[in-house]
Amino acid sequence: MSYVDEVLARIKEKNASEPEFIQAATEVLDSLRPVVDANEDLYRKEALLERITEPERQFKFRVPWVDDQGNVQVNTGYRVQFNSAIGPYKGGLRLHPSVNLGIIKFLGFEQIFKNSLTSLPIGGGKGGSDFDPKGKSDREIMAFCQSFMTELCKYIGADTDVPAGDIGTGAREIGYMFGQYKRIRGVFEGVLTGKGLTYGGSLARTEATGYGLLYITEELFKSHGDSLEGKTAVVSGAGNVAIYAIQKAHQLGAKCVTCSDSTGWIYDPEGIDVELLKEVKEVKRARLTEYAAKRPSAEYHEGRGVWQIKCDIALPCATQNELHLEDAKQLVANGVTAVCEGANMPTTIEATEYLQENGVWFIGGKAANAGGVATSALEMSQNSERLSWTFEEVDAKLKDIMVNIYHNIDDAAKKYGMEGNYVAGANIAGFEKVAEAMLAQGVC
Ligand code: NDP
């Protein structure tokens, strides 16, 4: 049995109750085979794959808080510090009822390679809670965030572990958490990113993941002698990533005709009205039915369905495993050219393989959505310098980073004879740097 297969078998046995983590580890290790085969003796002797797939440490803790009726509620909090070989742990905090240890581990594992790809000095981590922010009052959100940070603050710091936002954690939640950290630890430092602009946040961080997704998509088309001008895109999600992906796509000449949330989806053949979407989702925190009610050209449908709309580009920007094999078949039948992932692992392994086998240009989330964490690292730099860069400066650095990522993953795929396989290219390029750092640092 090959070293990769041995390690994968052990991971499946040890983590049987964590399907998302097994899925992520399988996807990464499978694509690393050529690199691992070329270095098998060394990696085996150093137990490199066993170490890189085992978190350095993980915390699971109680988060009690009081709701508006005076009742005590209890949630579970998590922080997985996966790998610090190339820098302090860095990765977001997800607040969603589906959160469990396996989901946080899958996200933390992916984060190692994504962060490495940005070329910035950040290790991999992730955290969150099964708390559901939907329908909660501002006071309840604050009560939860303060309780969550009361425990989390023991494990994080500007040079050790720097969390950020993710699903359910936006500027409001980061603000409440930052306030509580400062109150307990007594230091004003860049311990969280995604902060408000008045207290250390970076311009362009809000836009970064969506904008970065479009910068890499643009570079993909450019390198194939094409452009985004006149292309039709379908987008899933209606949160932070989706909104700014749509905005940048429109600026670059493409038209996004769909978006979705967890209850339904919009088809708007005239193109999504970003200002209206922001009003509905960012200001009112309402459902997409409100968008349809105010936009005569839009149709609202219950359930899921964006992938059935004919398009050139598909941008999944909601959550994991939201684009299935039958969706991939529909996209191919409709003549899709490219699929670039704004969300983390939104495409199932079978769907990814089908798209690749049918000649679709496919860039996975580790590369395509790395603009968010890259800009978070730029926020850390600004905090350390105690300076703020302009929007244009941050946006220009973000664009450079995304263009570089494209060429790095393209080159890595070519180097191992897998031209056009951007998934393998991203895993290999991300892995090589972390592996080298781990080997240099000895057994730890
Ligand atoms: P948000 O919470 O802002 O938005 C998430 C969107 O996806 C919402 O429209 C939400 O619908 C929908 N959604 C969430 N869960 C489900 C589900 N189970 N089924 C259907 N729809 C769902 O999150 P973000 O936009 O920040 O994150 C989206 C994805 O991008 C995640 O995978 C995240 O990990 C990834 N990502 C985010 C980064 C960032 O900077 N924000 C950086 C890199 C990756 P509803 O409103 O109904 O909940």
Side-chain angles (χ1 to χ4, degrees):
M1 207 192 264
S2 76
Y3 180 38
V4 165
D5 288 323
E6 265 175 40
V7 174
L8 276 177
R10 217 166 304 147
I11 288 172
K12 284 174 189 161
E13 198 186 316
K14 266 180 86 171
N15 304 278
S17 61
E18 297 172 354
E20 292 86 0
F21 176 60
I22 292 173
Q23 182 183 344
T26 305
E27 187 262 326
V28 170
L29 295 197
D30 260 341
S31 69
L32 293 177
R33 284 179 197 276
V35 189
V36 175
D37 289 350
N39 298 279
E40 176 151 348
D41 291 347
L42 174 66
Y43 288 179
R44 198 190 273 276
K45 178 167 166 283
E46 296 287 338
L48 190 74
L49 296 185
E50 288 87 337
R51 282 196 279 150
I52 208 167
T53 53
E54 183 76 35
E56 288 177 19
R57 69 190 65 75
Q58 54 197 36
F59 304 99
K60 181 177 177 193
F61 49 92
R62 181 170 70 201
V63 189
W65 55 281
V66 180
D67 69 18
D68 285 347
Q69 285 68 50
N71 299 319
V72 177
Q73 303 288 339
V74 182
N75 287 102
T76 307
Y78 303 90
R79 186 72 185 165
V80 173
Q81 298 182 333
F82 222 118
N83 193 296
S84 62
I86 63 169
Y89 311 102
K90 181 94 199 83
L93 298 170
R94 177 172 292 191
L95 302 183
H96 194 272
S98 63
V99 163
N100 56 41
L101 185 59
I103 288 186
I104 298 299
K105 274 175 67 182
F106 121 63
L107 290 163
F109 182 65
E110 298 253 300
Q111 199 81 44
I112 304 169
F113 307 98
K114 180 190 308 193
N115 292 3
S116 167
L117 280 176
T118 66
S119 71
L120 300 169
I122 38 179
K126 198 82 187 184
S129 171
D130 58 358
F131 173 75
D132 187 358
K134 275 204 200 94
K136 303 289 192 300
S137 69
D138 276 354
R139 195 210 60 79
E140 289 176 320
I141 297 280
M142 181 168 75
F144 169 83
C145 289
Q146 290 182 337
S147 180
F148 181 78
M149 184 51 85
T150 300
E151 183 62 24
L152 185 69
C153 76
K154 298 170 188 166
Y155 316 118
I156 61 176
D159 293 316
T160 48
D161 184 355
V162 184
D166 190 68
I167 291 178
T169 308
R172 174 182 59 172
E173 291 74 19
I174 292 288
Y176 292 147
M177 289 182 196
F178 185 76
Q180 186 72 353
Y181 179 87
K182 193 161 54 71
R183 191 173 168 207
I184 298 180
R185 297 283 295 266
V187 277
F188 191 114
E189 60 173 2
V191 67
L192 291 165
T193 57
K195 299 187 290 299
L197 295 177
T198 50
Y199 61 95
S202 173
L203 286 161
R205 174 61 189 91
T206 306
E207 294 83 356
T209 308
Y211 277 23
L213 173 65
L214 267 295
Y215 290 144
I216 200 167
T217 307
E218 186 186 35
E219 194 62 20
L220 168 72
F221 275 74
K222 212 169 127 187
S223 75
H224 286 83
D226 201 346
S227 81
L228 299 186
E229 196 61 49
K231 301 287 188 295
T232 299
V234 296
V235 175
S236 64
N240 173 263
V241 180
I243 288 173
Y244 293 96
I246 295 170
Q247 186 172 73
K248 183 51 75 179
H250 289 178
Q251 288 170 10
L252 296 175
K255 182 164 76 171
C256 299
V257 294
T258 66
C259 62
S260 66
D261 65 15
S262 48
T263 48
W265 59 286
I266 293 284
Y267 175 48
D268 190 343
E270 288 188 10
I272 297 291
D273 177 338
V274 180
E275 289 314 310
L276 177 58
L277 184 61
K278 284 166 91 169
E279 169 74 20
V280 171
K281 283 294 176 184
E282 290 184 341
V283 182
K284 294 189 177 161
R285 298 176 191 273
R287 311 313 305 166
L288 284 173
T289 40
E290 287 223 13
Y291 176 95
K294 291 198 170 142
R295 178 93 171 152
S297 56
E299 295 167 13
Y300 175 79
H301 302 269
E302 289 287 322
R304 52 194 298 285
V306 298
W307 314 123
Q308 62 191 256
I309 300 295
K310 185 170 167 54
C311 64
D312 306 299
I313 304 166
L315 303 171
C317 296
T319 193
Q320 66 272 6
N321 293 329
E322 52 156 321
L323 198 163
H324 309 147
L325 180 57
E326 61 273 25
D327 303 319
K329 288 183 177 168
Q330 183 72 64
L331 284 167
V332 169
N334 283 342
V336 73
T337 303
V339 176
C340 300
E341 295 184 328
N344 285 313
M345 208 169 74
T347 314
T348 62
I349 291 182
E350 306 79 60
T352 304
E353 284 168 1
Y354 186 83
L355 292 167
Q356 290 174 319
E357 283 160 10
N358 284 277
V360 177
W361 308 333
F362 182 92
I363 305 190
K366 272 183 231 87
N369 70 34
V373 74
T375 309
S376 278
L378 300 179
E379 183 174 329
M380 289 165 72
S381 302
Q382 293 170 79
N383 292 163
S384 309
E385 286 188 324
R386 304 207 188 287
L387 286 175
S388 298
W389 304 336
T390 63
F391 187 97
E392 290 71 25
E393 281 175 288
V394 180
D395 191 35
K397 286 182 204 296
L398 167 66
K399 188 168 182 185
D400 275 354
I401 290 169
M402 298 312 296
V403 168
N404 276 334
I405 291 177
Y406 174 76
H407 291 289
N408 285 342
I409 67 175
D410 189 33
D411 291 347
K414 284 180 183 150
K415 180 173 155 193
Y416 287 94
M418 294 185 279
E419 181 161 0
N421 186 341
Y422 304 109
V423 173
N427 289 335
I428 291 168
F431 171 80
E432 281 188 327
K433 181 171 161 190
V434 177
E436 196 180 323
M438 287 177 72
L439 293 174
Q441 291 169 27
V443 178
C444 60

